[in-house]
Amino acid sequence: MDCGLLSLFGPDEEIHDIDKTNNNSPNRRKENKFRKSTSKFDGRKNKRPSECENSSGSEGEQDSLNNKITIDFDQGVLPPEPQLGNIEYKLKLISPSKHRFEHLVTQMKWRLREGNGEAVYEIGVSDSGHLHGLTEKDMNASLATLKQMAQNLGASTSVLRRKYVTTRRSVAEVLVRKIPDDQHNIEIRVAVLGGAEAGKSTLLGVLTQGEFDNGRGLARLIMFRHMHEIQSGRTSSISHETLGFDSQGNIINYKYNELMTAEEISDRSTKLVTFMDLAGHRRYMRTTVQALLGYSPHYAMLVVSAGSGCIGTSKEHLSIVRALDMPFFIVVTKTDITSPEQTVQELRLVLTSVGCRKVPFIVTNADEAISAASNQVSENVVPIFCVSNVTGAGLNLVTRFLYVLSPSISNLEKERLEQESSEFHIDEIFRVNGVGPVVGGLLVKGVLTENMQMKIGPLLDGSFHTVNVQTIHRNKAPCRVVRAGQSASLSFTPKQTLPPLRSGMTLLGDSDEEPYGTLLFQAEVSVLFHATAIYVGFQTTIHIGSIRQTAVVRAIEECEKMGTNDSASVLFQFVGHPEYVRPGMRMLFREGANKGIGVVIKIFPLNKPAGHPH
């Protein structure tokens, strides 16, 4: 969903909500408190840094900013219906004529296309955004018509929420979901970050297995892949776990009271959330950063312990996610042991600081979980969930949020990427008995099909080798086609000669130009932090997509050194072997606590005729 779901309801005099009849009710006091705590920070959003620093003054100044953001759930009017995107307003859908019904189905098809298979219908709402509401009879008739429209397209409907605007009239928000013809389900990828003791693996174990933890690490044992992980209790590799939903939002993993394989979960799900459980210990930071760039997750989930707060590795993970401009949400764990209030307050201060400028949204009920999913990308919102893996408190809000959450890529961008020549970044390499080498990674551009001829490289001389892709697997299930933005595993036609394979290689489809690897490339970089300064000769680990290699700074344009917050054009040289890099690719470099980000602007291909730098 590009636009996300709209927050249906918020403070307005016209609405006659039952809760509004008593402003001193516990619910009302809680909502007013939340609105003040979230709204006041967003007033900084469009100010210059100097203004932001001065805006942290009196409480009266902060309260004047309250109406800058409307992400809570009691507003009585929506913005006018957007012409683009996947959101549609309908005042009513009662007994339409055959011609009108066909027009409505065509309209739904377009909205589904805009939302990559998902659309949101606001029933009882006029095009101007006014919440008129419908009687019980008219609402049931409208929902029945909407269901018929969806069935015509092979789609399903589920009511996300329903709210009374008067004692007899209500409005409803309905999710329409259609799985694209070439996919098993709609998938989002979530990277799981946080410190070593935050409880990431335990949280994933509870979410995907449906059984609470015993307080001594029982749930996390399911997530570990190596014996030393079980012995130490620390994740050192990238573990993939899946959470499947049916069309009504029920979790597939434990719906049938049986142990299900990843393939069975994928086959039975209409929505699939793939978690990448990343290492939390500082020793494995390289693996974590490589996964964030190589797999291009749609969202990051930062897990923070209520007892220790956002410190150490958790804080470093947060800074990397911010540097990559990746949407993220936060889960505060171990609330059964320690009250999360102090940790939540620390997170608020970090998120609303001048360098971050996010809007913290403490999710306390199902309606707020839906609102959080709707406003995360469009309004810079960072949802915060407080959960316990032992008692299960708050976990239902996390799953509801994940059910509504959609890939953060526009339909136009998706179509543009699919029309380009195929480019597959290899991140993992396996050897399967009877199959041979299998490579896993992400298709960043184009479309990849079975039996497709591609070029793999670069080799040590910068050249590429022609290979044929035989089979494709996604989520451990065979498929025939992969589209831009999807991860997959590929095997090659037997008995063909393959070059030595390594992580960081690229598979390329047919193109007009012969591809070449490069050792030298130029990038516009910004230093996020360095204890002293960067000079020519500085060595650092470079991360570009699935590439992870040491590089040396060969030149810095127009200056001798770079310190924290400095920007310049820098010439890098890979130390080990050539890599496939192209202008426009984002990069991150780090060496210990020192780190920076940048964009590749020029490459110098190996063994290419002179006079053709890119």
Side-chain angles (χ1 to χ4, degrees), residues 7-17 20 70 72-79 124-125 128-132 165 171:
S7 300
L8 258 179
F9 319 106
D12 193 276
E13 296 76 29
E14 295 177 7
I15 205 162
H16 303 289
D17 187 0
K20 271 191 173 291
T70 54
D72 74 78
F73 199 63
D74 291 313
Q75 187 173 354
V77 63
L78 294 180
V125 182
S128 64
H130 182 67
L131 306 186
H132 290 275
V165 293
V171 291

Side-chain angles (χ1 to χ4, degrees), residues 240-415:
H240 296 260
E241 296 299 326
T242 54
L243 182 68
F245 295 93
D246 65 14
S247 59
Q248 300 303 311
N250 301 310
I251 296 175
I252 292 289
N253 297 46
Y254 32 88
K255 179 181 177 181
Y256 301 98
N257 297 318
E258 61 184 75
L259 188 64
M260 297 179 69
T261 64
E263 184 176 350
E264 289 172 330
I265 294 170
S266 176
D267 285 343
R268 296 186 185 185
S269 301
T270 60
K271 172 75 169 286
L272 195 70
V273 181
T274 302
F275 295 105
M276 292 181 291
D277 186 14
L278 305 181
H281 198 274
R282 186 178 294 276
R283 182 191 306 169
Y284 308 113
M285 184 65 75
R286 288 188 305 172
T287 304
T288 299
V289 174
Q290 184 182 15
L292 285 174
L293 278 90
Y295 280 97
S296 297
H298 298 113
Y299 298 91
M301 176 169 75
L302 182 67
V303 182
V304 177
S305 168
S308 56
C310 189
I311 58 172
T313 310
S314 295
K315 201 164 188 178
E316 189 163 349
H317 284 176
L318 176 59
S319 67
I320 291 170
V321 168
R322 281 168 42 202
L324 295 174
D325 200 23
M326 184 182 296
F328 66 97
F329 58 99
I330 299 173
V331 178
V332 180
T333 59
K334 305 182 183 180
T335 58
D336 55 295
I337 300 174
T338 309
S339 171
E341 287 184 13
Q342 184 176 346
T343 298
V344 169
Q345 188 56 35
E346 287 175 8
L347 289 169
R348 277 180 176 153
L349 293 174
V350 171
L351 293 172
T352 55
S353 63
V354 175
C356 195
R357 295 186 189 171
K358 300 287 185 182
V359 182
F361 188 176
I362 319 301
V363 178
T364 59
N365 58 52
D367 285 347
E368 290 177 352
I370 296 169
S371 293
S374 69
N375 291 278
Q376 180 165 18
V377 178
S378 59
E379 295 290 347
N380 253 353
V381 169
V382 177
I384 300 176
F385 301 86
C386 298
V387 306
S388 167
N389 295 319
V390 175
T391 66
L395 292 173
N396 62 317
L397 302 181
V398 177
T399 55
R400 188 65 175 169
F401 171 80
L402 291 169
Y403 168 64
V404 175
L405 206 58
S406 289
S408 53
I409 179 172
S410 71
N411 195 58
L412 286 173
E413 176 69 7
K414 186 171 180 288
E415 285 187 350

Side-chain angles (χ1 to χ4, degrees), residues 27-38:
N27 286 340
R28 175 58 46 212
R29 289 197 299 271
K30 180 181 176 184
E31 288 164 2
N32 286 339
K33 180 182 178 182
F34 170 73
R35 187 178 304 120
K36 180 181 287 186
S37 67
T38 55

Side-chain angles (χ1 to χ4, degrees), residues 182-198:
D182 59 344
Q183 290 179 224
H184 288 297
N185 41 49
I186 295 168
E187 181 191 12
I188 63 169
R189 295 186 299 277
V190 179
V192 184
L193 302 165
E197 307 300 326

Side-chain angles (χ1 to χ4, degrees), residues 405-532:
L405 206 58
S406 289
S408 53
I409 179 172
S410 71
N411 195 58
L412 286 173
E413 176 69 7
K414 186 171 180 288
E415 285 187 350
R416 184 188 69 79
L417 289 172
E418 288 179 4
Q419 289 168 3
E420 294 189 21
S421 180
S422 301
E423 183 178 321
F424 185 89
H425 290 178
I426 297 173
D427 190 75
E428 292 182 289
I429 300 165
F430 314 92
R431 181 165 288 277
V432 180
N433 289 335
V435 178
V438 173
V439 297
L442 180 75
L443 186 67
V444 295
K445 294 196 302 181
V447 176
L448 197 157
T449 59
E450 288 179 326
N451 303 313
M452 188 171 174
Q453 188 177 82
M454 302 191 78
K455 294 179 178 178
I456 191 168
L459 308 183
L460 290 178
D461 63 354
S463 65
F464 278 68
H465 182 83
T466 301
V467 294
N468 288 308
V469 174
Q470 184 182 34
T471 60
I472 304 171
H473 278 65
R474 293 195 67 239
N475 302 312
K476 302 180 183 178
C479 67
R480 309 196 72 171
V481 62
V482 182
R483 297 186 179 276
Q486 295 178 344
S487 55
S489 297
L490 316 175
S491 70
F492 303 102
T493 304
K495 297 182 180 177
Q496 63 177 320
T497 305
L498 290 175
L501 301 178
R502 57 177 172 79
S503 176
M505 275 184 156
T506 304
L507 277 164
L508 298 174
D510 289 333
S511 62
D512 297 335
E513 288 193 12
E514 186 71 20
Y516 290 89
T518 183
L519 286 172
L520 285 166
F521 69 94
Q522 191 174 344
E524 290 283 353
V525 302
S526 297
V527 180
L528 300 177
F529 175 79
H530 197 287
T532 54

